[in-house]
Amino acid sequence: MKIAQFLASLAAGALIALPSLAVELKIGLQDDADALDPAQSRTFVGRIVYTALCDKLVDITPDLQFVPQLATSWKWSADGKQLVMELRQGVKFQDGTPFNAQAVIDNIQRYQTMPESRRKSELSSVAKVEASGEYEATFTLKAPDVTLLAQLSDRSGMMVSPTAAKAAGAKFGDHPVCSGPFKFVERVQQDRIVLEKFQDYWNKDKIFIDKVTYLPIPDTTVRLANLRSGDLDMIERVAASDAGTVKGDPNLVYADAVGTGWLGVYANVGNGARADNPMGKDKRLRQAFSLAIDREAAMQIVFDGTGLAGNQPFAPNSPWFDKDIPVPARDIDKAKALVKEAGFDRIPVELAVANNPVSMQMMQIIQSMVAEAGFDVTLKTTEFATLLDAQSSGNYQLSRSDWSGRSDPDGNIQQFVTTGAGLNDSKYSNPEVDKLLLEARQSQDNAVRKQKYDAAEAILSQDLPIIFLGHQAWIWAYNKKVSGFVPSPDGMIRLVGVKKNS
């Protein structure tokens, strides 16, 4: 063999022996996720991580239609009290535990009975789940509940390994084990969450990323700078004011979608000792606070025309919006009159806000607006997960928080304002609101449902346990080497089909 041929054969052998380089995707998040347990978590960014980590029974499309994921098909009984789901066969959890009807039973029971679970109100209509076959699960309901599919398309439908869940209990989030395309590797709080491709994933042929790292970077400017420098491959919640910069960068791709969620200020009306303050005790002050806000101006300034001003859990362009309660114009005179009627001249208020520039900018604007009506607002900045912990425990007076939105209207309202619901941080309780929202769940007639939501909103717009501000669009930016990403109104980053070219 000639020397040149010998060297060529060596080179070819070396190429064969070398493993292919792992493809890593680095995603910048606005916040750090809370517990990585679908039973306990509530953060938006946690749901972004779950799209890679935990498959659900049902998924939704960009036009908000339900489609199969771990359930391949489903059928309702004529009376709306039974849902039969055919399950995908050959699926394994990331610890090797098989997925079947018993796994569905174990998961739903965990969500319903685990003391720390926030999913109880979402599944309150479910009387029992049974295995009507090895790969067939039957949900029997206490009463018809048209929202159940929507619940099963989110955290309540995320399937975690029963083996791991039983062993870990409330500590499951320290090392989550699910059935999604990526499995958990490590987490460093406030720094990173690392996942790697699950080689036994049922749909692995459509997964082209080997490793995904999520990095919480609250500052929108820093997040974008990291993307432009190449330290990140994708970021979520680009500041609207930076949209032009992204569009003008030849190395980046801009994507957006109108969201289904809301922006709001929670009022502590019954959550522990800190509810004993003027804002918590007198709805006239909450009404005055709301009337002192120019929502149109605030949304225009902060979101540069990409969002909508709002005063309900449904956006003004939603079919569920109550047009009889339009977005109020700013009325300082009426706000001052309500403050005086409540017996005050000036009211000191502490308002918690997450330490990201967009939330801070909006609250500084509102702080200035409401001051004219008599509210002396002190902004208490904190990391977002810490803010949510404080809300849950009642350690707040007012707190600025968002909701990413759901495909069914129930998901935007029920769990925030009904008695004992998992996300009711205000601890608001009104039997008539409870009754109306339960009846809305049970009707299969959208006209009837609309009447119930309107009636509930008429009460809530006066009591104001949550002061709604508006509705934002989701904006993403990513390196042009990334392809296959599909923007969705739910704000998620689905990695099935996503590629990263070298």
Side-chain angles (χ1 to χ4, degrees):
M1 181 182 292
K2 294 180 179 180
I3 293 175
Q5 291 176 318
F6 177 72
L7 291 174
S9 67
L10 276 179
L15 286 172
I16 294 170
L18 284 174
S20 59
L21 293 174
V23 178
E24 181 180 7
L25 195 70
K26 294 183 178 180
I27 301 175
L29 305 176
Q30 180 168 290
D31 312 296
D32 194 20
D34 56 352
L36 291 178
D37 179 353
Q40 301 182 63
S41 69
R42 60 179 296 176
T43 57
F44 173 67
V45 292
R47 291 175 64 227
I48 292 178
V49 175
Y50 290 140
T51 59
L53 183 65
C54 301
D55 274 3
K56 305 164 291 189
L57 290 171
V58 180
D59 202 5
I60 59 171
T61 64
D63 58 354
L64 302 179
Q65 299 299 308
F66 298 119
V67 291
Q69 195 163 63
L70 291 177
T72 56
S73 64
W74 48 87
K75 185 177 181 180
W76 285 99
S77 62
D79 64 0
K81 293 181 68 173
Q82 271 200 339
L83 175 66
V84 181
M85 289 189 141
E86 301 298 328
L87 306 176
R88 192 175 299 280
Q89 299 185 29
V91 174
K92 291 181 181 179
F93 290 99
Q94 293 148 358
D95 60 359
T97 300
F99 170 74
N100 51 30
Q102 186 58 50
V104 175
I105 294 169
D106 292 342
N107 271 273
I108 298 302
Q109 289 180 346
R110 179 174 186 262
Y111 291 140
Q112 289 183 310
T113 62
M114 182 180 177
E116 297 85 359
S117 174
R118 295 184 182 276
R119 312 280 79 86
K120 293 174 184 176
S121 65
E122 298 169 9
L123 296 168
S124 60
S125 64
V126 178
K128 60 181 177 179
V129 186
E130 298 172 292
S132 39
E134 185 178 0
Y135 295 101
E136 184 180 272
T138 297
F139 290 73
T140 300
L141 310 187
K142 301 169 189 174
D145 179 4
V146 295
T147 74
L148 183 59
L149 271 182
Q151 310 297 1
L152 298 179
S153 74
D154 207 271
R155 291 186 185 93
S156 289
M158 291 178 186
M159 297 289 104
V160 308
S161 165
T163 305
K166 184 177 180 181
K171 297 290 186 180
F172 176 83
D174 293 347
H175 194 105
V177 181
C178 294
S179 59
F182 296 86
K183 63 181 182 179
F184 180 81
V185 176
E186 68 166 342
R187 177 179 191 177
V188 179
Q189 295 281 352
Q190 307 299 325
D191 183 71
R192 65 186 181 273
I193 295 170
V194 182
L195 311 179
E196 68 180 17
K197 183 176 179 179
F198 175 40
Q199 296 301 328
D200 288 330
Y201 182 56
W202 63 269
N203 198 20
K204 65 180 180 182
D205 291 344
K206 293 186 179 179
I207 302 300
F208 306 105
I209 304 297
D210 299 303
K211 177 182 179 182
V212 55
T213 301
Y214 299 94
L215 299 126
I217 304 174
D219 192 303
T220 51
T221 303
V222 174
R223 203 156 63 245
L224 179 56
N226 275 263
L227 176 67
R228 299 186 76 185
S229 70
D231 291 333
L232 293 174
D233 300 301
M234 172 179 265
I235 60 175
E236 54 96 20
R237 278 179 285 179
V238 175
S241 57
D242 289 330
T245 300
V246 174
K247 292 176 181 178
D249 190 324
N251 295 314
L252 301 182
V253 179
Y254 173 95
D256 63 15
V258 176
T260 58
W262 46 257
L263 317 175
V265 173
Y266 289 69
N268 186 349
V269 300
N271 194 350
R274 294 205 67 188
D276 187 13
N277 71 84
M279 293 294 289
K281 293 170 69 174
D282 197 327
K283 66 182 180 183
R284 292 172 296 185
L285 294 178
R286 298 192 293 275
Q287 292 168 6
F289 191 96
S290 177
L291 284 167
I293 300 170
D294 186 334
R295 289 166 169 80
E296 294 285 355
M299 292 296 292
Q300 182 63 41
I301 294 168
V302 177
F303 295 103
D304 200 27
T306 63
L308 290 173
N311 64 325
Q312 300 175 32
F314 319 118
N317 60 359
S318 165
W320 303 100
F321 183 80
D322 185 355
K323 294 179 180 178
D324 290 334
I325 310 174
V327 179
R330 190 182 192 218
D331 191 334
I332 283 293
D333 290 339
K334 188 173 181 181
K336 287 180 176 178
L338 283 167
V339 169
K340 185 176 181 180
E341 183 182 314
F344 292 90
D345 178 33
R346 308 293 304 179
I347 304 104
V349 182
E350 182 186 90
L351 197 159
V353 57
N355 62 345
N356 68 74
V358 174
S359 293
M360 279 297 300
Q361 183 186 16
M362 175 167 271
M363 286 304 97
Q364 286 166 350
I365 291 168
I366 288 175
Q367 178 186 40
S368 176
M369 288 176 174
V370 300
E372 293 182 44
F375 296 96
D376 296 321
V377 174
T378 301
L379 298 179
K380 180 183 179 182
T381 59
T382 184
E383 188 272 326
F384 187 58
T386 303
L387 178 144
L388 291 181
D389 285 342
Q391 277 186 197
S392 297
S393 63
N395 186 21
Y396 78 101
Q397 290 183 353
L398 297 182
S399 185
R400 164 80 171 83
S401 189
D402 303 343
W403 180 242
S404 53
R406 295 296 183 268
S407 55
D408 187 278
D410 177 89
N412 272 17
I413 184 171
Q414 192 274 346
Q415 56 195 326
F416 301 95
V417 296
T418 56
T419 305
L423 299 179
N424 185 354
D425 291 339
S426 297
K427 290 295 184 284
Y428 174 76
S429 180
N430 185 312
E432 182 61 18
V433 170
D434 294 348
K435 176 175 177 289
L436 288 164
L437 295 183
L438 177 61
E439 290 170 348
R441 274 188 166 187
Q442 295 175 350
S443 175
Q444 297 187 39
D445 184 334
N446 278 348
V448 172
R449 296 187 77 197
K450 179 70 164 63
Q451 291 172 356
K452 302 298 181 183
Y453 290 126
D454 287 354
E457 188 53 39
I459 299 169
L460 294 167
S461 66
Q462 295 299 309
D463 290 351
L464 291 176
I466 299 174
I467 299 169
F468 297 104
L469 304 173
H471 313 269
Q472 70 182 98
W474 304 119
I475 304 176
W476 300 267
Y478 52 94
N479 191 289
K480 67 178 182 180
K481 294 179 181 179
V482 176
S483 63
F485 170 68
V486 179
S488 177
D490 65 1
M492 295 297 100
I493 300 174
R494 291 170 173 82
L495 297 178
V496 174
V498 171
K499 298 180 180 180
K500 179 184 173 183
N501 300 317
S502 57

